Amino acid sequence: MKKIYFMAFLCAVLSGLASCSLDDTKRQQMIAGYFTVIGSYPNYKLVSDDGLIVYPSASSIADYGNHKRVYFEVSFYEDDVTTTNNISVIRNAEVEKGTYLIETPFISKEEADKAGITQEDSIFAISNLDNCWLANGYLNAIFKAEFSVDGLNAISPNANLCVTSTADNAVTFTMLYNRHTKKGTTYDLGAFGYSFDISKLNIPGNDSVAVTFETEGVKSNTIKVSRSAFNYAQ
């Protein structure tokens, strides 16, 4: 399976779920979206960022290893869909196509300073932020940026999510993008997807949270989200 470090996401830049019929005579359907993988082989469960629950066949998901954050195209039959308390569940599904997001935990400003990744010459701007959202205990960022190319080899970039401030019902995240400059390298534009684990972040207060996301190259953005978005999918 090809990894996504230096390939475009194709349709994966689209958030949410899309549905289309594969074969009307068999009532087969397909959905596509971002999921969190719960469990391990052979007992997998996929929880979409919209709350849909999918039970895929073990063989169709095995190639994705231990990755927890994925973008999947999933096929299923209408007869395998049930809805209870406004939660839809799909059983006996098959993963047709997919890719994973690069998963990493958030770090504190002190940790970022100690690691030297907050130095001005270590941070590079991204060219475009296609999407940024919180779900299932992850802050997700789909963006375009330059990355290093050494001959025929692409050098994996780093993107760190730094918690720069917290207050009552508010938090500011700063994504620090480093493309690994190296003498003699060239640069190319690529599309990247990161999921930052924020489930262990403690934010004062008990109301919805105002989340500000900042990174070099794009205008900062603040959205309000439910505290449930900071919790792992179960």
Side-chain angles (χ1 to χ4, degrees):
M1 185 193 75
K2 292 185 178 179
K3 298 183 178 180
I4 55 118
Y5 291 119
F6 304 102
M7 61 182 291
F9 267 99
L10 301 178
C11 60
V13 298
L14 301 176
S15 65
L17 298 175
S19 177
C20 61
S21 175
L22 293 179
D23 187 337
D24 289 338
T25 61
K26 295 182 178 181
R27 296 181 298 166
Q28 193 175 24
Q29 303 288 316
M30 176 174 285
I31 59 170
Y34 293 94
F35 296 86
T36 298
V37 181
I38 309 296
S40 57
Y41 185 89
N43 301 310
Y44 292 111
K45 176 173 75 172
L46 306 178
V47 180
S48 81
D49 288 358
D50 292 335
L52 176 71
I53 298 174
V54 177
Y55 291 94
S57 68
S59 59
S60 68
I61 195 176
D63 287 344
Y64 297 91
N66 295 321
H67 294 287
K68 298 299 182 184
R69 291 292 298 164
V70 295
Y71 179 90
F72 279 157
E73 294 181 10
V74 179
S75 65
F76 60 96
Y77 289 97
E78 291 180 4
D79 292 345
D80 290 323
V81 182
T82 58
T83 301
T84 306
N85 296 327
N86 294 321
I87 298 177
S88 295
V89 177
I90 300 174
R91 300 185 182 276
N92 305 314
E94 295 289 332
V95 173
E96 304 294 342
K97 296 179 182 178
T99 188
Y100 61 84
L101 283 75
I102 301 171
E103 304 147 33
T104 184
F106 75 89
I107 59 176
S108 67
K109 179 66 164 56
E110 292 75 16
E111 290 172 320
D113 289 340
K114 186 176 181 180
I117 60 177
T118 53
Q119 297 177 10
E120 187 173 346
D121 60 353
S122 296
I123 303 170
F124 296 88
I126 67 174
S127 60
N128 180 269
L129 182 64
D130 292 316
N131 210 343
C132 181
W133 74 100
L134 285 84
N136 294 340
Y138 291 88
L139 187 151
N140 311 279
I142 310 298
F143 60 92
K144 294 183 177 69
E146 286 189 337
F147 64 94
S148 306
V149 181
D150 183 4
L152 298 176
N153 299 315
I155 304 172
S156 175
N158 281 342
N160 292 280
L161 187 72
C162 182
V163 179
T164 47
S165 70
T166 57
D168 283 349
N169 305 309
V171 60
T172 298
F173 294 106
T174 302
M175 188 178 76
L176 308 173
Y177 179 76
N178 186 309
R179 66 188 186 195
H180 293 314
T181 57
K182 184 179 178 181
K183 186 176 181 180
T185 62
T186 58
Y187 301 96
D188 202 352
L189 186 67
F192 302 94
Y194 279 77
S195 280
F196 302 99
D197 186 345
I198 55 173
S199 62
K200 295 181 179 179
L201 181 61
N202 183 23
I203 302 172
N206 52 21
D207 294 329
S208 58
V209 181
V211 176
T212 301
F213 181 80
E214 301 175 337
T215 188
E216 289 289 331
V218 297
K219 184 179 180 180
S220 63
N221 184 37
T222 300
I223 58 173
K224 271 202 167 185
V225 300
S226 168
R227 286 181 175 266
S228 63
F230 291 82
N231 300 330
Y232 271 150
Q234 298 297 321

